[in-house]
Amino acid sequence: MSNARDVARRFWKGLRGVMGADAYDRYLAHHQRHHPGEPVMTAREFWRDKADEQDRNPGARC
């Protein structure tokens, strides 16, 4: 049973990475490592900034 949970957890984590849903978590980890003690964007601010950046630089999106 534990093995099935581990597989499901790894699958879900991989899917979140592919979809970009883990971007805020990665931002927090990066910020903690490289900018300790500095203010952190809220999740809402982060996603708004990310959407604005994509609007400014659309690139190759579906």
Side-chain angles (χ1 to χ4, degrees), residues 36-48:
E38 294 182 18
V40 177
M41 284 190 278
T42 64
R44 185 181 186 126
E45 291 169 334
F46 173 82
W47 290 112
R48 179 75 262 158

Side-chain angles (χ1 to χ4, degrees), residues 31-55:
H31 197 278
Q32 186 177 20
R33 275 192 312 274
H34 298 283
H35 311 284
E38 294 182 18
V40 177
M41 284 190 278
T42 64
R44 185 181 186 126
E45 291 169 334
F46 173 82
W47 290 112
R48 179 75 262 158
D49 184 63
K50 190 165 182 63
D52 289 346
E53 179 63 28
Q54 288 175 340
D55 287 343

